[in-house]
Amino acid sequence: MTRWGVTDNPEAAYEMMDGWIEAQPSGIEGRRQMPHFTMTEEDKRGLAEFLRWTDQTDTLGWPPNDAG
């Protein structure tokens, strides 16, 4: 969530998560395929909120850079 700049904005976190899920490729020959997510809006909001919460975890400096 830090990478996407939405740690302090629950609605933006949801919109980012929803857009990311919807943009995943499927059925493109030669590309790795993401699983088809069958999630309700409530599921996606919960996932976005969980990821915002975990982003606040003190990782004692890990990873060593923003790219992981």
Side-chain angles (χ1 to χ4, degrees), residues 23-34:
Q24 294 311 300
S26 63
I28 300 171
E29 185 90 22
R31 285 197 67 175
R32 292 185 304 170
Q33 302 300 299
M34 292 295 292

Side-chain angles (χ1 to χ4, degrees), residues 1 4 6-8 10 13 17 19 24-25 40 46-51 61 68:
M1 294 293 155
W4 289 309
V6 295
T7 53
D8 297 326
M17 179 63 54
Q24 294 311 300
T40 65
L47 178 57
E49 198 55 33
F50 171 74
L51 293 174

Side-chain angles (χ1 to χ4, degrees), residues 22-58:
E22 295 302 319
Q24 294 311 300
S26 63
I28 300 171
E29 185 90 22
R31 285 197 67 175
R32 292 185 304 170
Q33 302 300 299
M34 292 295 292
H36 176 69
F37 296 105
T38 304
M39 299 174 71
T40 65
E41 180 180 339
E42 182 180 5
D43 292 337
K44 289 186 261 187
R45 286 186 182 279
L47 178 57
E49 198 55 33
F50 171 74
L51 293 174
R52 286 181 61 243
W53 176 76
T54 58
D55 195 32
Q56 304 306 311
T57 301
D58 183 357

Side-chain angles (χ1 to χ4, degrees), residues 15-27:
E15 289 172 5
M16 181 281 310
M17 179 63 54
D18 185 45
W20 182 85
I21 288 171
E22 295 302 319
Q24 294 311 300
S26 63

